[in-house]
Amino acid sequence: MEKIMLFDGPENAAVTILLAHGAGAPMDSASMTACAKALAAEGFRVARFEFDYMAARRSGGRKPPPRAETLNPEFKAAVDALGAAGALLIGGKSMGGRVASMIADELYAEGKIIGLLCLGYPFHPPGKPEQLRTKHLEDLKTPTLIVQGTRDEFGTREEVPGYRLSGAIEILWLEDGDHDLKPRKTISGYSAADHLKTMAQTVARRVGERLA
């Protein structure tokens, strides 16, 4: 299936970020759109695409998400279809970021990407902390930023520091954020927009350091 993409940010940006969606919501969900616009506000060109099972839902059926690793070829195809002229980061929301993390080292070694961005990484299924999805993250070579809410039920601030993770991974913790990085303002004092701006500025800082 031909990859249809959504774009935000300047066409002539020096850096493009290619994002995939999570398991249950499409590329134009409120969460994905807000993340894309926050990154575009920092000068990035942001491209979003859908895996075939999600795109198929737009024409009727409701296909369940397949096993994440079976989507690796689709993500690689999206990278090729995008054909970014400048530097490229790949990543995504939840499962999309997980799929990106499984192909990142291959693309990084080939010089096709400069980094990886995971927005709410699904370290384990909710309520099943023993089912870790971290084995491939132990030896990851690609410079990586994982943006995680402190109360994300897929991996909380109390759980994640106990995992074996590569030194190439930096984790940005967003206070009281859930799996969509949204905080409860009455509790944390932060809004969702505050957290997304922090996320985007951190990405810009890290990319600036990489390209300096």
Side-chain angles (χ1 to χ4, degrees):
M1 184 181 296
E2 182 181 351
K3 295 296 182 194
I4 297 173
M5 297 188 184
L6 297 177
F7 291 93
D8 292 276
E11 290 185 24
N12 62 347
V15 180
T16 300
I17 302 176
L18 177 63
L19 297 176
H21 55 84
M27 64 180 174
D28 56 354
S29 68
S31 174
M32 284 287 291
T33 299
C35 287
K37 293 194 177 303
L39 289 163
E42 291 296 319
F44 294 107
R45 178 75 161 158
V46 183
R48 289 175 274 165
F49 77 97
E50 285 181 346
F51 296 115
D52 290 349
Y53 83 89
M54 183 63 73
R57 292 183 181 183
R58 294 182 182 274
S59 54
R62 183 166 177 80
K63 286 189 172 184
R67 293 180 63 85
E69 58 270 19
T70 67
L71 297 171
N72 292 0
E74 285 190 50
F75 206 125
K76 291 180 186 177
V79 170
D80 291 339
L82 176 62
L88 176 65
L89 272 83
I90 61 170
K93 173 82 178 69
S94 192
M95 184 195 72
R98 183 183 173 205
V99 176
S101 72
M102 290 190 278
I103 64 170
D105 275 0
E106 178 185 341
L107 298 179
Y108 184 63
E110 294 172 353
K112 292 183 177 180
I113 64 171
I114 63 168
L116 170 67
L117 173 63
C118 299
L119 304 170
Y121 187 85
F123 288 99
H124 60 72
K128 299 179 180 178
E130 72 284 354
Q131 294 184 20
L132 288 180
R133 298 159 170 164
T134 56
K135 186 64 179 173
H136 68 291
L137 300 181
E138 294 179 8
D139 301 309
L140 196 69
K141 305 291 192 299
T142 308
T144 299
L145 178 66
I146 295 177
V147 184
Q148 200 81 355
T150 60
R151 61 185 177 95
D152 188 335
E153 60 184 357
F154 288 78
T156 66
R157 191 165 196 167
E158 289 70 41
E159 297 169 327
V160 175
Y163 303 154
R164 284 189 58 201
L165 299 175
S166 163
I169 297 173
E170 175 186 340
I171 299 181
L172 170 65
W173 288 105
L174 297 176
E175 188 61 38
D176 197 55
D178 63 10
H179 194 50
D180 285 335
L181 310 178
K182 290 181 180 177
R184 298 165 294 186
K185 189 163 187 178
T186 55
I187 292 174
S188 69
Y190 294 102
S191 68
D194 292 334
H195 276 355
L196 292 183
K197 185 173 183 179
T198 297
M199 175 274 292
Q201 289 177 337
T202 303
V203 175
R205 172 181 59 78
R206 279 184 57 97
V207 168
E209 292 168 354
R210 291 281 307 154
L211 297 180

